[in-house]
Every structure is written in C-alpha cells, then in structure tokens.
Amino acid sequence: MSERKPRKDAARNRAAVLAAADELFARRTSPEDEVTMADIAAAAGVGKGTLFRAFGDRTGLIHALYEARVEPIRNAVEEGPPPLGPATPPLQRLPALLDAILCFKLDNRHLALALEGTGSDSPYQAGHYDRWHALLQAVLEQIPGLTDSDFTAHVLLAATRADLVEHLVGQRRLPPEGLRAQLASFTTKVLGSPALPGSPAEQIHS
Amino acid sequence: MSERKPRKDAARNRAAVLAAADELFARRTSPEDEVTMADIAAAAGVGKGTLFRAFGDRTGLIHALYEARVEPIRNAVEEGPPPLGPATPPLQRLPALLDAILCFKLDNRHLALALEGTGSDSPYQAGHYDRWHALLQAVLEQIPGLTDSDFTAHVLLAATRADLVEHLVGQRRLPPEGLRAQLASFTTKVLGSPALPGSPAEQIHS
DNA sequence: GTACGATTCGGACCGAGGGTCCGTTTCGAT
DNA sequence: ATCGAAACGGACCCTCGGTCCGAATCGTAC
C-alpha cells in the first residue's frame, strides 16, 4: 500500500496549478469577482481536465493551497519555540495561537474566504477546523478553572472567521492591528484572568 | 412617493411563494439538497418570472422569509416584557437576547443557513446583522466595566452562527438545550460576573 | 356588461461555472 | 525504436440564478 510515483509532467503541472491559483487568490484586489476554475487552469497554462484530475474538485484544490500556506504555522505550533510551540504555558499560548490564526486570515483573506465558503455548512467540514479546534480545546483544558472547553474553542475560532475578518477590516476599515488587539483583549477576558497589557506577541506574519 | 396598491393576483402569488418556500426550508430533513428557485416556483404553482418579480432575487426572497419569521422576536425585543424587552437590566437582558437568537436559529436552521450562506461574505451584508449587532452593542455598553463592546457583540453573534449551530446540533448531536446552556455560561463568562446558576430563561421557541 | 390600457403571468431562454469525457499526446520502461 | 500506461486539454454537459416577452388577467371607465 503505497504511492506510485507520479509522472514528471503531472508533478510539474500540479505545481504550476498551485502557483497560479495562489497568485490569483493573492492578487485579488477588493472587488467581488470570483476566482474560477477555468481562470486557474488558464493562468497555469493547462486544461481544466488536468486541474480536476490533480485535485479532484474545487474544494480539493483549495485545501491543497491552504495546506501549503499553513504549513509554517503548523510547524511553529507543533514543534517550534514559544510562544506558539508546545512548551508554552497555556495562559500565554492560547492568545498566541489565536493571534497566529488571525494573522493568517489577514494575510490570506481571499483564500480563507474561499475555503470557508465551500459547501453549505463549511468551514466545519474541512479537516483543518477539527485540528485547530482540538488543539485549542486541549490548551484550554490545561487552564484550571475553565469549563466548556469544547464550546469555548468553537467560539474563539468563530471570532476569527474569514468573513468576519473581511467585514471588519475590508468593509469597516478597522486596521488589522486594532483587530488583533481586540481579539487579544477578548481572549484574556474569556480566560478570566486580569488582562496584562502586553502587545499580542510577535508573529510569523510572512 | 408611495406604494401603489398591488393587484390581487400579485398579492396572492406573493403569499403562495412565501408559504411554499417556508414549507420547503422547514421540511428539509438532513440531506444536502439545495432548495432551488425553480423548486419554490413549482411548489407555489407559479412561474419563475413571478417569483423574481415579487422578490427581486434569491436574497430578496430569503430576506422576506426571514423577516416574517423574526417579527415576533423583534416585537418581543423592542416592546415586550422582560427578559427580552427594553425594560430589562442589561446584565439579564443580554443572555436572554442571545438565547432568543440561538433558539431562532435552532428552529429555523435551514432558513438561517440559506440566509447566511448568501453571497461570499454574508451574513454581514444582510441588514438584519447590523440591527442585531447594534442592539447587542448598545446593551453591552450599558454594562459598566466592559470594553470593546463592538467587537464583543460581533463575537457573541458569531457564536450563534447558523453553520456552527448546524455543526454542533446536526452533526455532532449536541442536544439543543446543551448548546443553549453552554452559550449562556459563555455569555456570563464574557460579562465578567460570577455566574449565577439559573437556567437560560423561558423563550418564545414557537 | 364590455372595452381597453396597465399590470402580472409563466416558462422558454441565457450565461456562468463546476465537473466529465474521450481522442490525442507524452512519458518512461524495455 | 517500440509500446502500453498515464496524463493532457478543451469541447461538452448540467444545474442554477436570472431575464425576456408574448399571453393572460386585472380593474377601471363607460
């Protein structure tokens, strides 16, 4: 049971598609024109068939893109140094995690929007959500005096949803740093501890 | 500048469409088949043209449905007795409001899902959102010692989003009362007061 | 009751976008 | 060089929101 190695052209095309799609999602200035599959195929210089064979469907492609983008953060979270890494004390790690997630959505608004806008009750279908949720829940559980870690994790994630971020930063012109600060302050409120007035910690924020 | 009274058949058809659409959204057992405009037209026994002339577009129809459904709650909130009405002290009113919103989404899952799934950064486009947000913000502002009432209101509303509710209750089989209790407990946590262990108050919950 | 303009009806039609099919091309192993 | 397997690509299909316009209906004036 193993992966048969893909043919050279297949690999090249897959990479080209990822690059083109990434480009298209990133370049998108505000307006409301969708990134279409045909667009991506054209930009990558391949046929639509290739694109669907490589990724299955639109969701698959977006997941692949997303995966590539979050990988650095995942690494930092799973084996990196504090404040994101596992060695960080929970009370400090939780705000750091949320800030990292928020920064990611700020940096990849259109991609995150596309990811969360897939299907009808996404983003809760995507495996990514379950991972983040499990992580947050685990961290919350290590904090004494907190209850409902499951629901709390859901709400904290809901506070970073792409469309909310887009609404606040894109439409209502709230500066990103302001949003980060508000999320941080909200988080400390939820954690129940008296807010320590430090800034939300340096993040990757490529 | 006034409303020319509509023709009789127009009024009848409009009502028929609303009834049919309501029915379709309500009847929908779990499966993932979309309610389509053609479906609604067929169920109402009218042509698609009629439907679009009466409501403009899909969004308009869903808004009209939503409006009809929330009206009782709006009334209760704007001029009803405590715990929803304006005479209620803020610390008590806020959980009641959130519980009412949550109950509404529980009772109208498919409709709420359709409403929030419209466009790409909905539900923040719908005028309803702004109204709820303004109300929550105003109530929060009356509570001394709270900051960031704007952002807090956004997060509390995010905690009641239709797709989250659907995920928890529909997929993960969390019983509705459990969700209500968790939201209530989360709310009191956010309000910063020591949780008083009362149940989430009787609601309309038709 | 009838005539007639204004309004509404309704379903054929359109365009966009996701996804499929299959004849053609390219790969890479022998 | 040969040949089977894998990948290519774009024409094609389908669904769905939305439009159009000739036909049907309404309501008013007489």
Side-chain angles (χ1 to χ4, degrees):
Chain A
M1 70 298 213
S2 58
E3 309 279 310
R4 305 212 57 75
K5 67 159 67 173
R7 246 167 60 170
K8 193 177 47 178
D9 52 350
R12 179 172 40 75
N13 279 335
R14 182 184 171 92
V17 167
L18 279 175
D22 205 52
E23 169 84 6
L24 284 186
F25 277 113
R27 278 274 179 275
R28 278 250 266 134
T29 48
S30 28
E32 193 39 57
D33 41 359
E34 274 293 326
V35 173
T36 177
M37 293 281 115
D39 289 345
I40 297 173
V46 304
K48 268 174 59 176
T50 301
L51 188 155
F52 279 97
R53 195 168 331 95
F55 298 98
D57 59 6
R58 183 182 167 84
T59 305
L61 170 53
I62 293 178
H63 278 172
L65 270 175
Y66 184 89
E67 198 68 49
R69 286 273 185 175
V70 277
E71 204 202 330
I73 296 176
R74 289 180 58 85
N75 274 356
V77 165
E78 286 172 5
E79 52 198 47
L84 281 184
T88 321
L91 267 174
Q92 188 182 343
R93 196 182 183 200
L94 196 96
L97 290 173
L98 284 170
D99 191 52
I101 295 174
L102 177 57
C103 285
F104 176 80
K105 306 240 182 152
L106 284 166
D107 288 342
N108 302 280
R109 276 201 269 165
H110 302 300
L111 176 57
L113 224 36
L115 179 73
E116 297 183 11
T118 294
S120 70
D121 69 334
S122 299
Y124 301 102
Q125 235 116 321
H128 312 294
Y129 185 85
D130 288 330
R131 277 204 295 271
W132 283 121
H133 178 266
L135 175 63
L136 288 192
Q137 182 177 2
V139 174
L140 282 168
E141 222 126 55
Q142 294 167 20
I143 300 176
L146 279 194
T147 55
D148 282 338
S149 64
D150 179 83
F151 184 71
T152 304
H154 281 300
V155 176
L156 289 176
L157 282 175
T160 68
R161 283 184 60 162
D163 48 6
L164 178 55
V165 170
E166 168 64 20
H167 176 65
L168 293 178
V169 174
Q171 253 92 310
R172 306 247 322 249
R173 293 286 157 209
L174 180 66
E177 292 73 23
L179 182 51
R180 290 175 64 191
Q182 289 191 302
L183 178 61
S185 120
F186 183 83
T187 306
T188 68
K189 197 190 309 175
V190 168
L191 294 187
S193 69
L196 53 144
S199 66
E202 283 303 302
Q203 288 308 326
I204 291 177
H205 209 272
S206 68
Chain B
M1 68 297 216
S2 58
E3 310 277 309
R4 306 209 54 75
K5 69 160 66 173
R7 244 168 57 172
K8 192 177 47 175
D9 52 350
R12 180 173 38 75
N13 280 333
R14 182 185 171 93
V17 167
L18 280 174
D22 206 52
E23 169 85 3
L24 285 186
F25 277 113
R27 279 273 179 276
R28 278 252 267 136
T29 49
S30 27
E32 192 40 58
D33 41 356
E34 273 292 327
V35 173
T36 178
M37 293 309 239
D39 289 345
I40 297 174
V46 304
K48 270 175 57 179
T50 302
L51 188 155
F52 281 97
R53 191 165 338 90
F55 298 98
D57 58 7
R58 183 182 167 84
T59 305
L61 169 54
I62 293 178
H63 277 173
L65 270 175
Y66 184 90
E67 198 68 51
R69 286 272 185 174
V70 277
E71 204 201 331
I73 295 176
R74 289 181 58 86
N75 274 357
V77 165
E78 286 172 5
E79 51 198 47
L84 282 184
T88 321
L91 267 175
Q92 188 183 343
R93 196 183 183 198
L94 196 95
L97 291 172
L98 286 170
D99 192 53
I101 295 175
L102 177 57
C103 285
F104 176 80
K105 305 238 182 155
L106 284 166
D107 288 344
N108 303 280
R109 275 200 269 164
H110 302 300
L111 175 58
L113 224 36
L115 179 73
E116 296 182 11
T118 295
S120 69
D121 71 333
S122 299
Y124 301 102
Q125 236 115 324
H128 312 293
Y129 185 85
D130 288 330
R131 278 204 295 269
W132 284 121
H133 178 266
L135 174 62
L136 288 191
Q137 183 176 3
V139 174
L140 283 167
E141 221 128 54
Q142 294 168 20
I143 299 175
L146 279 192
T147 55
D148 282 338
S149 65
D150 180 84
F151 184 70
T152 304
H154 281 299
V155 176
L156 289 176
L157 282 175
T160 68
R161 283 185 60 163
D163 48 6
L164 178 54
V165 170
E166 169 64 20
H167 175 66
L168 294 178
V169 174
Q171 252 94 308
R172 305 248 321 249
R173 294 286 156 205
L174 180 65
E177 292 73 24
L179 182 52
R180 290 173 65 191
Q182 290 191 302
L183 177 62
S185 120
F186 182 83
T187 306
T188 67
K189 197 191 307 175
V190 168
L191 294 187
S193 68
L196 54 143
S199 65
E202 282 304 300
Q203 288 306 325
I204 291 178
H205 209 272
S206 67

